[in-house]
Every structure is written in C-alpha cells, then in structure tokens.
Amino acid sequence: MKTYDLPDKRGHFGPYGGTFVAETLISALDELCTKYEYYRDDAEFQAEFFHELKHYVGRPSPVYHARRWSAYLGGAQILLKREDLNHTGAHKINNTVGQALLARRMGKSRIIAETGAGQHGVASATVAARYGMECVVYMGSEDVKRQATNVYRMKLLGATVIPVDSGSRTLKDALNEAMRDWVTNVNNTYYIIGTVAGPHPYPMMVRDFQAIIGNEAKKQMLEEYGRQPDALIACVGGGSNAIGLFYPYIGEENVRMIGVEAAGKGIDTQEHAATLVTGRPGVLHGNRTYLIQDENGQIIETHSISAGLDYPGVGPEHAWLKDCGRAEYVAVTDDEALAAFHALCRFEGIIPALESSHALAYAAKLAPTLNKNQLLLVNLSGRGDKDMITVAQQSGITL
Amino acid sequence: MNRIESVFSRLKSQNRAALIPFITAGDPDSAATVALMHRLTQAGVDLIELGVPFSDPMADGPTIQRSSERALKHHISLKDVFAIVAEFRKTNQNTPVVLMGYANPIEAMGHENFAQAASHAGVDGVLVVDYPPEECAEWVAHLKAQHIDPIFLLSPTTPESRIKQVAELARGYVYYVSLKGVTGASHLDLQEVGNRLSQLRAHIKIPIGVGFGIRDEQTARSIAEQADAVVIGSRIVEEIEHSSKTDLLMNVGALVESLRRAVDTRSNSSATGK
C-alpha cells in the first residue's frame, strides 16, 4: 500500500468528505482549517495536548486481556483498549480537549456543541469548565427527555442545554441547530463537533485527536504481546472511536480492521442505523458520505438501542476505507449488543457502554472461529454507567 | 436571451428592482403551490424561487424548515416539484422559476438526470445551498449543458478571491445573503449591505439579489434602492403557514402586492449604481 495521506487539501477521502456547506459557513471553516494546520505542527500546542491527556484525562488507557470471557468463547484472545477509564467515561474527551485548546488559541470565548445521548455534550461542558469558557449544548428535545441524567450533568458543569424541537427532535436536528448558531455567532464562537463527520477539517481534525487511541495501542501491543493484533474491532456511529483506533494501523496490512454498526431491530427492518452496511452515498451535514436515505434523497430516522450510534450518516473516511476494501463493516442487533453487555459485566467485572457493546458482540461472534493464539483488539470506547436505565428497561425493571 | 436575462434587462430599462418571492413546493400541497405561483405573478413578482423540500434544511430558520416538513408530510419529491413547474408553465411562459434546495435529493436523482428533467419542466435556474463553487464543477457543467443557470450565494464573510470564483461560475444572478445567520432572522444592517454590494459589483457583472432578513415594506424598499433584486422568503412562508385553504391566495396576494409597491417606490436617485 502507498503511504496513506488522506484527506487531500480540501478534505476529500476519494469521492467522500469535502466541504458541502452554505456560503455563510465557508469563511469560518477556512479560518478553522488554517489555524488547525498551524497548531497541528506546533510543538507547544502538542505538548499541552499530551500534558492534558495525561494529567486530566488519565492516559494512557490500558490494554486489558479479557481472559475469562476469551476462555468462555473458546477461540481468539480478546483484548480491550480501555477508553472507558478516561475522565468522563469515554473516548469523546480526547477530542474535546484538543478542540478546546484550539478554540482558546483562536481567541473564541464561547463553545457550542451538539449531542445525542449527551456524551459529547458532557465532554464539551467538561472542557469548557476546565478552560473557563461559556458552553451551549444543543440537544433534540426527545433526547433531553431520554437522557435526563446527562442533561443534569451538563448543567452541573455550567453549560446551557438548549432543547431542539424541530424535525425528529434528535441528534441530527441538534446538529442542524448548532450549525445555525455557529453561522450567526461565528465571531466569538467555536463549534466542537464530536465525531469524524461534518465539513472539512472536522473529519481530519477529530481523527487526529482520537488517533492517540491507536498510537498508544500499537506501542502497548508491542511491549506486552511482542506483536500487533490480528484484528481491530470498534463500533461505528459517526465513527470517531473507530477511526482513532484504525488510523495508525492503516499501513499495517496484516491487521484486519472491522467497524461494527448498529443493526437495531435488524437490517431488514426500518429500525436500524447501519449506514455503511445498508446506505447509499449522498451529501449531508457538510460532507459526502454513506447515508440512510429514501429513494428521493430524504434522510430517514434511524434506530439503535445505543443513542451514540443512532445517526443516519457516517464519517467520510470510513466510507472511503469501506470502498477501497481496507476496512470491513458489519452490523449487530440491539439484542446481540445487550447479550455482549451482560457477558462483559459477568465475566470481566466491566460494565461497557451500549455503543461499545456492539463491538464486543462482533468480537464474540468472531473469536470462536479463530484459534487461541490469535488476538482481537476491541475498542472499549466507553463505560456503561449512563446506560443503566435503558438496560434495566430491557429486562423489564424500573429503577 | 433566456427568461432570467429578459426579466433583468426589462427591469433595468425601467429602472426597477426585481421582486423575488420564495415559497416551498408542496406547502401546503402541490395544487396550492401552482395556484400560489400564478397569484404571485399577478401580484407583480418578476421571478419565483421554489424551494425543494429537504429533511435537513441546515441553512434555513425554523419558518422555512416547518414549510419543508409540511411538504414532506405528503412526500413531495423532486419529480413532484418538476410536475408543479410543468403545470405552471402550461399557462405561464414568461416568469422565470429558480429551484432552491439542498444537495442530497439532487444527488439521489443524479446530476445529469436532474438537469434534463429540470430543463424539460421549464426550470430556469437552480441554487443548491450546500454546493459551494469548489465542490460543483461537474454539476455546473450539467446545468449549463441544459441552459439552466447555476445561481450562487455570497455572504458578508465571502473573501474577494471567492467572489471572483463565483463570478466565473455564476449565471443569471447571484444571491447575496444579507446577514450572518439563517433565513428568517431579523437583524439587517442596511449600510453594511450597501458597502458590500459596491465591493461585489467590482467582480460580479450579472444582477445581484439580496435576501435573508427582509421582512417588511420599509426594508424591502431600502434594499431595492441598492440591489437589483429583493428576495423575500420567510415572511411569505409565514403568511402561508398562518392562512387557511380558503384565504391563502388572498392573504399571500395582498402581502406581495404591498411588497411590490414598496420595491417600486425606491427613490430614483439611489438606483442600482450600474
């Protein structure tokens, strides 16, 4: 494989990515691009970023061998990259720290963010508090109801949460509203996008901040196992935790990369969020990528038990990795994810996020087909404390 | 000379600014849209911008988003929009129709198919909000092959280098977004608009329309004194939203007639500057 150097200057990953936004946003994106490209290579910026990751986030996160679960499954050894141990409980904080540091250098005093389940909102509110910035989080009014704990968490951290009543009242509507705020208040406002989607430079920038996951893993694998894993497995909604793990491995051709999407109630039903597995390319939220859409190009509402995977698009770099065959994308259902959730609780004493449980569910399918010397590295992107109410409901329990 | 050129050339000789209303196709339904288009031309509009409904209209404010949602309730697709234009064209051969919308419905149909169908229906121009000039060379080529004008947006933050880029691609007219924000917002700095228009005219040789934030007769009149065209969307869509089926044409007609009078009473001393 040639040296991988995507995206191009304008943010294209093959035919995907790019800058598909209204003219009113172009100058803000140009400014962001220029500043990011400068600070990406700035030693002082990088030093502060890594200092914060170490002392505030708690990195590096360990690679943990899930011995009892692997033995039970009776095949490949399952290793977990423990992003669940980060401050705030998920990988999201890697990116919000990076973008908040950039916002500060750009002289922006106000940050805005969109959130679905609330995890990115919490991670944004957290860094806003840490760096003394005003924070406004847009959240679909349906999600505000479903995620009351995270809404309260954001308020505790000093953020203003604005419920969005338009459209389906979920993540994509919150994203639309955040874009509108940014267009209107771009002079003092920095928009922190939480995933590897949106217009250039977001997919590249968020990837770069999340690449700490794969860079650490490569080093840890060599140190502890003397080799790299046979496959990487990560869940894909927008795809930031997956790209964070995959990106440093793109050139390692012997390492399979497997992205796991949410099949919801089944990919043959209308209720899923398996964008790469079932979708078609189109343009949404500033980039060209695979989308879940109807025959007329209207975006369809998605479903997943895990709010963090409930999104009708996907990062453009994943679209490219799928088309060029470097990564594989599969989907697992709500039920399969729940089964893996319970298995990890019982076998390893780790309560995983429902998002990460999708990656675990696929590992549980794949491991028994491989031999005991093979290694699967699963990105345990977040912890499941936030999912207690959802999981209890699935078991018919009211908390 | 195509329909858009004819209209602006006639208006220039009359020293008048164009009045361009925006309505969403299929809001409240297809038949009503055709009737509204005829009523708008009776009220004296020069060109009609017809919105193509989309599930995620990011650059629009809540008023136009709701109109999109009303149209999508009965599944108005691009094919329905073309049918609306074709129906309008049966009895109106003169008023240009410009489609305005978002990229994805067009991508789903395919650029070439879209351009052919649009031309067949009698569409004169297309503005795709999320196709900035650097992403749409192929798209513009397909439109031009069918003699459809690609319309582009310019904003208060567009730098000079991009103004030149748009000047090369744009046909028909360009649409200057008069404020930072979304459609329907309400803070408009008239002096700023004037300054920017002179700057734009150094590069843009086709007419310049101004929209976003024009909500009443007074603002319409002030904009008409500086721009070649006044675009009014949210205010008209609001009128549609608040009207019943029976008084829809009457209410929208009365509103647009008053806007027409306002645009035509601009003081001649400060005409377009060209």
Side-chain angles (χ1 to χ4, degrees):
Chain A
M1 195 176 193
K2 293 184 306 190
T3 312
Y4 183 87
D5 58 359
L6 298 180
D8 70 12
K9 194 81 186 119
R10 285 183 174 159
H12 298 104
F13 301 89
Y16 303 108
T19 312
F20 292 89
V21 296
E23 184 62 32
T24 42
L25 272 174
I26 294 279
S27 72
L29 289 166
D30 282 351
E31 181 198 7
L32 180 58
C33 236
T34 309
K35 292 288 164 63
Y36 176 63
E37 279 170 6
Y38 175 80
Y39 286 110
R40 184 174 55 179
D41 301 323
D42 178 62
E44 191 264 334
F45 178 84
Q46 289 297 328
E48 187 178 4
F49 178 55
F50 288 113
H51 183 273
E52 291 294 282
L53 290 182
K54 182 175 176 190
H55 297 279
Y56 188 61
V57 176
R59 305 200 70 91
S61 67
V63 169
Y64 166 80
H65 183 185
R67 270 179 221 279
R68 288 191 62 226
W69 195 39
S70 302
Y72 169 79
L73 292 167
Q77 302 308 305
I78 295 177
L79 311 174
L80 305 176
K81 178 64 175 161
R82 298 290 306 274
E83 293 298 303
D84 61 316
L85 295 177
N86 291 340
H87 178 44
T88 72
H91 73 290
K92 292 286 184 192
I93 189 91
N94 302 329
N95 167 52
T96 57
V97 165
Q99 290 199 53
L101 293 178
L102 182 61
R104 252 191 351 176
R105 280 167 174 74
M106 291 173 69
K108 312 282 184 184
S109 58
R110 176 176 181 263
I111 63 175
I112 57 170
E114 86 296 336
T115 196
Q119 292 310 104
H120 173 57
V122 169
S124 299
T126 299
V127 295
R130 164 79 183 84
Y131 302 116
M133 302 161 107
E134 183 192 347
C135 180
V136 172
V137 179
Y138 290 93
M139 190 168 183
S141 55
E142 269 306 306
D143 290 333
V144 168
K145 273 188 246 160
R146 291 191 290 199
Q147 308 287 340
T149 320
N150 270 341
V151 172
Y152 185 58
R153 205 170 274 156
M154 287 183 266
K155 288 180 179 168
L156 283 177
L157 291 161
T160 306
V161 178
I162 301 183
V164 177
D165 274 322
S166 56
S168 59
R169 299 178 173 82
T170 58
L171 176 61
K172 71 184 180 74
D173 308 290
L175 211 154
N176 292 338
E177 207 58 36
M179 288 264 187
R180 289 171 182 150
D181 180 317
W182 198 35
V183 174
T184 313
N185 302 301
V186 66
N187 284 339
N188 72 339
T189 299
Y190 183 101
Y191 178 20
I192 302 192
I193 290 185
T195 191
V196 286
H200 183 62
Y202 285 103
M204 172 181 80
M205 177 170 65
V206 177
R207 172 197 74 190
D208 293 349
F209 289 137
Q210 292 293 0
I212 184 74
I213 302 172
N215 283 324
E216 278 178 10
K218 266 177 115 168
K219 195 162 157 261
Q220 291 164 320
M221 288 302 301
L222 266 186
E223 280 168 9
E224 291 164 42
Y225 299 89
R227 69 178 184 95
Q228 296 303 333
D230 296 281
L232 309 172
I233 303 177
C235 65
V236 176
S240 71
N241 89 82
I243 217 79
L245 178 63
F246 293 177
Y247 178 59
Y249 279 97
I250 288 176
E252 306 269 335
E253 286 179 68
N254 297 327
V255 180
R256 282 174 73 187
M257 308 195 305
I258 304 167
V260 186
E261 297 191 309
K265 297 183 176 168
I267 53 169
D268 47 352
T269 71
Q270 292 282 310
E271 296 178 70
H272 64 78
T275 309
L276 287 163
V277 171
T278 70
R280 280 179 295 124
V283 168
L284 181 70
H285 293 152
N287 66 108
R288 181 175 280 128
T289 187
Y290 280 77
L291 300 173
I292 298 185
Q293 54 180 316
D294 69 14
E295 70 279 9
N296 296 318
Q298 305 294 344
I299 308 307
I300 298 175
E301 281 180 39
T302 51
H303 164 84
S304 168
I305 190 170
S306 130
L309 302 184
D310 202 352
Y311 177 62
V314 65
E317 192 161 15
H318 285 294
W320 170 244
L321 291 173
K322 172 191 160 86
D323 280 15
C324 73
R326 178 61 188 95
E328 308 156 49
Y329 294 88
V330 297
V332 307
T333 63
D334 288 351
D335 289 346
E336 290 169 323
L338 269 172
F341 173 97
H342 288 294
L344 205 73
C345 290
R346 294 302 187 91
F347 282 105
E348 302 294 341
I350 296 172
I351 302 178
L354 282 172
E355 290 78 6
S356 323
S357 298
H358 286 71
L360 294 167
Y362 191 73
K365 281 187 188 179
L366 185 61
T369 69
L370 304 174
N371 71 49
K372 288 185 176 156
N373 299 323
Q374 289 180 290
L375 303 175
L376 301 179
L377 179 60
V378 178
N379 199 4
L380 190 59
S381 54
R383 70 175 84 122
D385 306 40
K386 67 183 176 63
D387 296 315
M388 292 298 94
I389 292 172
T390 309
V391 174
Q393 271 171 356
Q394 296 295 319
S395 313
I397 298 164
T398 311
L399 297 180
Chain B
M1 205 183 274
N2 71 25
R3 274 189 284 258
I4 296 178
E5 282 173 318
S6 306
V7 161
F8 279 105
S9 146
R10 171 175 54 78
L11 288 167
K12 196 181 178 188
S13 69
Q14 298 168 337
N15 193 24
R16 293 164 76 214
L19 173 61
I20 303 181
F22 168 97
I23 59 174
T24 298
D27 170 29
D29 60 56
S30 289
T33 300
V34 177
L36 269 170
M37 291 168 79
H38 286 303
R39 184 67 189 86
L40 289 168
T41 55
Q42 278 168 22
V45 307
D46 300 295
L47 182 157
I48 295 171
E49 283 185 0
L50 194 57
V52 178
F54 182 49
S55 50
D56 294 77
M58 284 189 313
D60 285 297
T63 302
I64 290 179
Q65 173 158 17
R66 282 196 302 274
S67 78
S68 228
E69 285 168 10
R70 287 194 293 275
L72 288 176
K73 256 185 201 150
H74 29 267
H75 308 286
I76 296 293
S77 68
L78 263 176
K79 281 180 193 155
D80 299 314
V81 176
F82 292 140
I84 287 170
V85 178
E87 185 64 29
F88 175 72
R89 278 277 169 263
K90 281 183 184 167
T91 48
N92 184 318
Q93 292 297 320
N94 300 320
T95 309
V97 175
V98 168
L99 299 187
M100 185 167 175
Y102 291 81
N104 203 53
I106 295 171
E107 300 241 325
M109 176 175 272
H111 288 168
E112 196 171 1
N113 290 343
F114 174 94
Q116 284 169 0
S119 167
H120 191 69
V123 169
D124 301 283
V126 184
L127 193 171
V128 181
V129 176
D130 48 355
Y131 273 162
E134 52 271 77
E135 296 284 2
C136 66
E138 181 238 336
W139 157 248
V140 166
H142 282 301
L143 287 186
K144 287 183 178 170
Q146 297 293 332
H147 309 289
I148 295 174
D149 288 338
I151 314 288
F152 285 94
L153 294 170
L154 289 171
S155 88
T157 54
T158 306
E160 194 162 10
S161 56
R162 286 179 62 80
I163 296 172
K164 288 182 194 163
Q165 205 177 356
V166 169
E168 276 173 32
L169 287 173
R171 296 287 183 274
Y173 62 101
V174 298
Y175 185 159
Y176 177 66
V177 176
S178 48
L179 47 83
K180 291 179 200 168
V182 294
T183 54
S186 58
H187 36 278
L188 186 60
D189 181 343
L190 290 168
Q191 189 171 353
E192 165 74 16
V193 172
N195 293 342
R196 284 292 289 183
L197 284 178
S198 343
Q199 212 182 336
L200 296 181
R201 287 205 170 97
H203 302 289
I204 306 280
K205 300 304 171 194
I206 55 179
I208 301 176
V210 172
F212 279 41
I214 302 169
R215 303 190 49 80
D216 52 37
E217 291 170 44
Q218 198 191 336
T219 327
R221 185 181 304 122
S222 312
I223 292 293
E225 285 173 5
Q226 312 187 57
D228 303 302
V230 179
V231 188
I232 303 179
S234 297
R235 179 64 190 88
I236 294 172
V237 171
E238 256 170 43
E239 200 66 26
I240 295 172
E241 181 168 35
H242 296 139
S243 296
S244 68
K245 276 213 155 161
T246 48
D247 59 13
L248 179 67
L249 294 178
M250 192 177 71
N251 292 350
V252 173
L255 169 69
V256 174
E257 277 160 10
S258 73
L259 292 167
R260 175 79 262 179
R261 282 192 297 272
V263 166
D264 284 345
T265 54
R266 71 177 188 188
S267 63
N268 283 340
S269 58
S270 53
T272 66
K274 292 204 312 176

